[in-house]
Amino acid sequence: MGLASVSTTATTTEGGIQLCIFDLSRGQNEGEELDKILFFFPADLPFPAQLSVIGLSEGLITFTRIFSPEVACEVIEADGHSHVFYEAEPDIWMVMMVEKSKEFEVSRRIEALRKVLKEIHCLFVLFHGSIRTMLEKEPSGGLVRSHLYPFIMDYLTGFFVGKKLKIPSFRDCLKERGTVQMLTVGREAAIEVQALVKTLESSAGSTPFYSLVLFQDLLVSTTLSPDDTINLFTYAVLRQTPYALSALSSSRSYLQKGSTPSHIVAGDQSVCVVRPLQPNKWRKGEDGFLTTEIWGIDSNSLTPVTPTVWLQQNGEKMYLCTYQYRSLTLILLVPVSSVLNWEQGLSSVKQQVIEHASSKIRTVEEKLSKGWSGENAYHVGGYRYLLVNDNTHVSRASPPGKVATLTKESILALSKVREEVDLEKNRAKCDNACRRTDLEICIRAKNNAWVIAELNKGDELYMVLEKGNKTLLYASEAVEKFSNRYCNGAYSLD
């Protein structure tokens, strides 16, 4: 749900962005208002100003519930900025205030910003569990605050340019956060991948575990649920794949502080705070497994403590073991409850798995590398496109280097089209949660480029054609040709 033309006096800083997390169920009594604040960026904003922002957000949430009790507030458009809302958990709200661009009529898609908030929360829950559970464990809020601040600031590292925060803008409209990018493999390679997964499962003996297989930054195989796959894939691409390791090692952020867990006092206990999103903290060990000191050092073996994550699928705590061979990354998730003797027992499981699967790993990597044509593997000449399957949460897009060749006018036009599509999808969701939105949009941008959007039974296609002539027939034939070759004929402009 969204409202427009709301006038507020709140200001934004650090690149026109404010980000807060608060609990509506806390701080309801006079003098206890600060209790509801769980996170605020920028942190140096005076408390009265923070309370003003959160009080305004709380009022807007309460007001919109009068008109839409079943659908949570998603955006409020003010004269100079937008309030973007995401209810991460019951009564746990994440709100981003974004200053509107004075240069462009459209600068940021609201749904894209909501997906940033969702990704932050999903990754936090992956490593720390739910915010509500932490609040129940330590009601003062000190525990969850001490975890949220470093976690979110480490996440935002990738959005900083110098000291200015650059949240996704209209230039990112050919990307889709919250999806995985799959590698297309031939039949022979697919058989080898399937054999590898079966070997991994059988080599651990009676120890059950899940696995993900990635090649470069693309998903090849998963035995996890869709939500857990997205979360682990997102983390791997951010911090663990060969490209992530090489890219992070060549860049530094002014936000980086510390290399080991810090201890804080929450209530009557000293709590260890790990920072899983710290850049430049993973390295490849001699045995091929990635190691990090983020979780500390085991006092008995004097080796780095193995990371753990929480699965949404079953709420189980799992060891996160990541193995790399050349361009292949294997993520193995082993239940903590199934491993005896802690690190020593886990080391035996990892060694057993790799010994049995090493030849399969080499075979799969060689076959995938042989069929890999580089970072422009999914470039289609003359097209700049994004394909999204809303059912499987899989996306594919033109390579970033090719998207960068589009003119500003084309990108702005596509961003406007995507905003319209988002609105239509939200209307359909409000009218009927089970109904899919099918639509076709084809417009002519100011620079004469064709901008196209098509939705068909959960499949979405967004496309820009800059080198076309002036006829709609050309655009229709171009989409038809693309659809027949790459989408099994799912789209057309007939």
Side-chain angles (χ1 to χ4, degrees):
M1 176 181 178
L3 295 178
S5 299
V6 176
S7 178
T8 68
T9 58
T11 60
T12 54
T13 57
E14 297 284 354
I17 303 290
Q18 287 181 341
L19 175 59
C20 61
I21 302 177
F22 58 91
D23 182 359
L24 278 180
S25 65
R26 298 168 62 91
Q28 297 301 314
N29 299 323
E30 187 175 354
E32 299 178 354
E33 292 84 0
L34 287 176
D35 288 347
K36 70 180 61 181
I37 304 177
L38 304 180
F39 172 85
F40 201 99
F41 172 84
D44 57 0
L45 198 68
F47 282 129
Q50 293 186 27
L51 287 173
S52 176
V53 171
I54 290 177
L56 173 62
S57 299
E58 186 175 2
L60 293 172
I61 291 168
T62 303
F63 177 72
T64 55
R65 277 178 172 170
I66 298 173
F67 304 96
S68 180
E70 301 299 328
V71 181
C73 179
E74 295 181 352
V75 59
I76 302 291
E77 296 289 358
D79 291 336
H81 53 269
S82 302
H83 295 250
V84 182
F85 297 84
Y86 176 65
E87 189 175 15
E89 301 173 26
D91 285 334
I92 303 292
W93 285 84
M94 305 176 72
V95 180
M96 185 186 297
M97 290 182 60
V98 185
E99 190 174 26
K100 291 184 177 179
S101 171
K102 297 178 181 178
E103 182 180 359
F104 307 119
E105 182 181 348
V106 175
S107 58
R108 297 177 176 94
R109 279 179 53 235
I110 297 303
E111 191 59 31
L113 298 181
R114 279 175 46 81
K115 287 191 174 183
V116 170
L117 298 178
K118 181 179 180 180
E119 185 169 275
I120 291 174
H121 177 258
C122 288
L123 289 175
F124 183 85
V125 173
L126 175 68
F127 290 104
H128 299 302
S130 74
I131 294 175
R132 180 62 67 199
T133 299
M134 296 184 77
L135 287 172
E136 292 173 351
K137 181 179 179 180
E138 199 280 299
S140 75
L143 177 66
V144 70
R145 292 187 188 99
S146 65
H147 283 76
L148 279 171
Y149 184 79
F151 185 89
I152 295 177
M153 295 311 295
D154 287 338
Y155 175 87
L156 294 177
T157 298
F159 295 102
F160 273 92
V161 178
K163 292 188 177 183
K164 195 168 184 179
L165 185 61
K166 294 287 188 181
I167 288 296
S169 68
F170 65 92
R171 298 185 185 278
D172 299 301
C173 57
L174 282 177
K175 298 179 182 178
E176 190 69 9
R177 198 174 298 273
T179 61
V180 299
Q181 291 75 57
M182 296 286 297
L183 178 71
T184 301
V185 298
R187 183 177 181 276
E188 185 178 348
I191 292 174
E192 293 293 344
V193 171
Q194 187 177 22
L196 169 61
V197 173
K198 289 182 177 179
T199 301
L200 291 173
E201 291 175 346
S202 62
S203 61
S206 60
T207 304
F209 67 83
Y210 300 93
S211 67
L212 281 85
V213 180
L214 292 86
F215 180 80
Q216 301 289 353
D217 281 357
L218 302 172
L219 182 66
V220 178
S221 169
T222 178
T223 60
L224 285 167
S225 68
D227 287 340
D228 288 322
T229 295
I230 291 171
N231 295 338
L232 267 300
F233 174 84
T234 299
Y235 182 71
V237 172
L238 283 174
R239 296 291 183 262
Q240 291 189 315
T241 61
Y243 177 79
L245 293 177
S246 62
L248 290 171
S249 64
S250 62
S251 65
R252 302 292 294 179
S253 168
Y254 82 99
L255 290 173
Q256 294 177 41
K257 295 179 181 179
S259 58
T260 57
S262 58
H263 288 77
I264 59 98
V265 176
D268 298 327
Q269 300 180 356
S270 176
V271 180
C272 177
V273 178
V274 299
R275 295 169 56 186
L277 290 182
Q278 283 187 94
N280 306 311
K281 299 304 178 184
W282 286 91
R283 66 182 186 278
K284 187 175 179 180
E286 294 181 359
D287 60 356
F289 281 94
L290 300 188
T291 64
T292 178
E293 296 181 3
I294 291 176
W295 276 258
I297 301 296
D298 181 64
S299 58
N300 295 321
S301 63
L302 299 180
T303 58
V305 173
T306 302
T308 55
V309 297
W310 294 91
L311 293 185
Q312 288 189 30
Q313 181 177 352
N314 52 22
E316 192 169 8
K317 191 174 185 179
M318 313 288 286
Y319 284 116
L320 173 63
C321 308
T322 305
Y323 179 85
Q324 274 185 3
Y325 175 72
R326 295 179 179 174
S327 298
L328 198 69
T329 301
L330 275 67
I331 298 177
L332 310 177
L333 300 170
V334 183
V336 172
S337 60
S338 69
V339 178
L340 302 176
N341 300 324
W342 302 90
E343 292 296 327
Q344 183 178 356
L346 184 62
S347 177
S348 299
V349 173
K350 293 193 296 185
Q351 182 179 357
Q352 183 178 345
V353 169
I354 298 306
E355 284 180 355
H356 283 79
S358 59
S359 62
K360 294 289 185 183
I361 292 172
R362 289 194 295 270
T363 299
V364 169
E365 201 282 336
E366 289 170 3
K367 286 190 176 297
L368 295 182
S369 295
K370 187 176 181 180
W372 177 245
S373 54
E375 61 181 12
N376 290 328
Y378 296 121
H379 171 58
V380 181
Y383 297 87
R384 301 295 182 269
Y385 69 94
L386 169 66
L387 287 167
V388 181
N389 186 302
D390 200 35
N391 300 312
T392 60
H393 305 291
V394 173
S395 68
R396 176 174 294 173
S398 294
K402 300 297 182 179
V403 174
T405 64
L406 290 175
T407 64
K408 187 184 300 180
E409 291 80 5
S410 297
I411 294 292
L412 281 169
L414 179 59
S415 184
K416 292 179 182 178
V417 167
R418 293 209 63 183
E419 283 278 12
E420 290 298 321
V421 171
D422 292 338
L423 288 172
E424 188 60 35
K425 288 168 65 176
N426 285 335
R427 290 192 193 102
K429 182 174 64 176
C430 292
D431 294 340
N432 185 345
C434 297
R435 183 169 70 86
R436 293 286 185 183
T437 302
D438 294 344
L439 59 83
E440 299 177 358
I441 300 175
C442 183
I443 68 169
R444 194 74 165 173
K446 293 180 179 179
N447 63 337
N448 290 325
W450 286 107
V451 176
I452 298 155
E454 285 207 44
L455 277 69
N456 182 17
K457 299 178 181 179
D459 291 319
E460 302 178 18
L461 168 65
Y462 303 96
M463 183 179 291
V464 177
L465 303 171
E466 282 194 332
K467 296 183 179 180
N469 59 31
K470 297 182 179 181
T471 67
L472 179 61
L473 179 60
Y474 167 83
S476 178
E477 290 177 345
V479 173
E480 189 84 31
K481 182 179 178 181
F482 182 92
S483 174
N484 291 336
R485 185 170 182 180
Y486 302 102
C487 311
N488 296 319
Y491 308 100
S492 70
L493 288 179
D494 293 340

